[in-house]
Amino acid sequence: MIILGIDPGIAIVGWGVIDYNGMGTKIKPVAFGSITTPSEEKTEDRIKDVYDSLNIIIEKHKPEAVAIEELFFNTNQKTGIIVAEARGCILLSCRQHNLPIFEYTPLQIKQAVVGYGRAQKKQVIDMVTMFLGLREAPKPDDTADALAAAICHAHTGTSRLAEYYNKPTSMAGKIK
Amino acid sequence: MIILGIDPGIAIVGWGVIDYNGMGTKIKPVAFGSITTPSEEKTEDRIKDVYDSLNIIIEKHKPEAVAIEELFFNTNQKTGIIVAEARGCILLSCRQHNLPIFEYTPLQIKQAVVGYGRAQKKQVIDMVTMFLGLREAPKPDDTADALAAAICHAHTGTSRLAEYYNKPTSMAGKIK
């Protein structure tokens, strides 16, 4: 199964595609990287950049599922809103490509990758590097985080597919 | 000038199109209503509903500018994130149609419509109803709020167009 992991953001969106063929088999890295948008741009231009770039990635690598980090707001509310706006366009792109979307908290991802929910960032990166048999850690950290989300889904996601398809299917929005 | 006002949301997105031909002339209502999405749906389905519906509205009424309420988060962070995700797809739709987007705070909208930044909701609705020569108040309140944003832009926006075009234009997002 080809899994696309995404670490949402606005200045940097990490992404990583892995190939996983079931428990016990090796996870193969397919491609990974980051989408960056300049802060001088208008918000609508930046989120369109993210959306357009993600469309290209999805059409190129044809993932079968998407694993994405859940969003939490902490200090900077204004940045948080823009990141959520960009994340909305990420979800839209995945939905338009009919990809099932699985959301994981940072805690779930650390638990699945390191085996410990409160693991340090460096431990996560080290485990991602090892799991994928990479010579060096993926850069930037956002890319490693995206790959960690994809690995998390490979390790825990099979059982969640039934849960996903039990949710109601899409109905068209009503325009009154 | 045809102006589309939007009150962002996820359960209800208010929208209203007005026609305004300069200071002192009457503002004509063109069309208004709301996009609704069911809470039982998955987030990605709901935001796609909003995006698809807004595309239809824009393609039908061909606005030349968009006025949209700025987002502020208060009590419910989880709802706030979903609303911001939907708002991101609203901005994307407007951007894809090359519409200049103008953001206004609730305070700016009340100031422009009622003449008083701390006006009550009912005062705003009454003024919108009067400005547009409607027999009764637009329903739901989200629709009235969207029309208020459009009226606010009609009254204050001309000077903001230069400001808009002084911002840097879009550059393609880099995929590393």
Side-chain angles (χ1 to χ4, degrees):
Chain A
M1 171 175 262
I2 307 290
I3 303 167
L4 168 62
I6 299 173
D7 181 28
I10 183 68
I12 306 176
V13 179
W15 64 275
V17 180
I18 63 169
D19 189 357
Y20 176 70
N21 290 313
M23 275 303 181
T25 62
K26 205 183 149 200
I27 298 177
K28 277 184 254 174
V30 176
F32 50 84
S34 62
I35 303 164
T36 59
T37 72
S39 59
E40 314 82 59
E41 269 195 14
K42 286 192 284 271
T43 301
E44 57 266 35
D45 291 335
R46 299 180 81 183
I47 63 178
K48 185 174 179 291
D49 287 349
V50 169
Y51 173 81
D52 290 343
S53 300
L54 189 62
N55 281 342
I56 292 169
I57 292 163
I58 291 175
E59 279 148 35
K60 179 164 180 188
H61 298 292
K62 300 186 175 36
E64 294 151 87
V66 173
I68 184 167
E69 255 196 42
E70 258 187 42
L71 223 57
F72 294 95
F73 284 3
N74 30 39
T75 46
N76 192 333
Q77 203 200 67
K78 204 175 167 76
T79 304
I81 290 176
I82 300 180
V83 169
E85 288 173 341
R87 191 177 186 276
C89 296
I90 290 170
L91 296 178
L92 179 70
S93 165
C94 296
R95 174 63 188 78
Q96 288 175 322
H97 288 90
N98 290 315
L99 295 175
I101 299 164
F102 299 89
E103 303 188 81
Y104 295 97
T105 63
L107 197 118
Q108 286 174 309
I109 294 171
K110 286 174 180 175
Q111 181 66 43
V113 174
V114 183
Y116 173 56
R118 302 197 178 279
Q120 299 294 308
K121 191 174 257 303
K122 190 178 178 307
Q123 292 175 279
V124 175
I125 297 173
D126 286 348
M127 288 303 282
V128 165
T129 310
M130 196 205 72
F131 269 129
L132 301 178
L134 302 171
R135 287 196 187 172
E136 53 186 41
K139 296 271 175 193
D141 289 353
D142 314 77
T143 302
D145 285 342
L147 286 165
I151 293 168
C152 169
H153 182 65
H155 285 176
T156 65
T158 328
S159 59
R160 290 191 65 193
L161 206 63
E163 176 197 320
Y164 181 86
Y165 284 110
N166 279 336
K167 289 194 188 174
T169 52
S170 176
M171 292 177 273
K174 284 177 285 181
I175 305 175
K176 282 184 188 156
Chain B
M1 170 174 262
I2 307 290
I3 302 167
L4 168 62
I6 299 173
D7 181 27
I10 182 69
I12 306 175
V13 180
W15 64 274
V17 180
I18 63 169
D19 189 358
Y20 176 71
N21 290 313
M23 275 301 181
T25 63
K26 205 183 149 199
I27 297 176
K28 279 185 255 174
V30 175
F32 49 85
S34 61
I35 303 163
T36 60
T37 71
S39 59
E40 314 82 60
E41 267 194 14
K42 286 192 282 274
T43 301
E44 57 266 35
D45 291 336
R46 300 180 82 183
I47 62 177
K48 184 172 179 293
D49 287 350
V50 169
Y51 173 81
D52 290 343
S53 300
L54 189 63
N55 281 341
I56 292 169
I57 291 162
I58 291 175
E59 278 147 35
K60 180 164 181 190
H61 298 292
K62 301 188 172 35
E64 295 151 87
V66 173
I68 184 166
E69 254 195 41
E70 259 186 39
L71 223 57
F72 294 94
F73 284 1
N74 29 41
T75 45
N76 192 332
Q77 201 199 72
K78 202 174 167 77
T79 305
I81 289 176
I82 299 180
V83 169
E85 288 174 340
R87 191 177 186 277
C89 295
I90 290 170
L91 296 179
L92 179 68
S93 165
C94 297
R95 175 62 187 79
Q96 287 175 323
H97 289 89
N98 290 314
L99 295 175
I101 299 164
F102 300 88
E103 303 187 82
Y104 295 97
T105 64
L107 196 119
Q108 286 175 309
I109 294 172
K110 287 174 178 175
Q111 181 67 42
V113 173
V114 184
Y116 173 55
R118 300 197 180 279
Q120 299 294 309
K121 191 173 255 304
K122 191 177 177 307
Q123 292 175 281
V124 175
I125 297 173
D126 286 349
M127 288 303 282
V128 165
T129 310
M130 196 205 70
F131 269 129
L132 301 178
L134 301 171
R135 288 194 186 172
E136 52 185 40
K139 295 272 176 196
D141 289 355
D142 314 76
T143 303
D145 285 343
L147 286 164
I151 293 168
C152 168
H153 183 65
H155 285 174
T156 65
T158 329
S159 59
R160 290 191 63 193
L161 206 62
E163 177 198 318
Y164 180 86
Y165 284 110
N166 278 335
K167 288 194 189 174
T169 52
S170 177
M171 293 178 273
K174 282 176 286 180
I175 306 175
K176 279 183 193 162

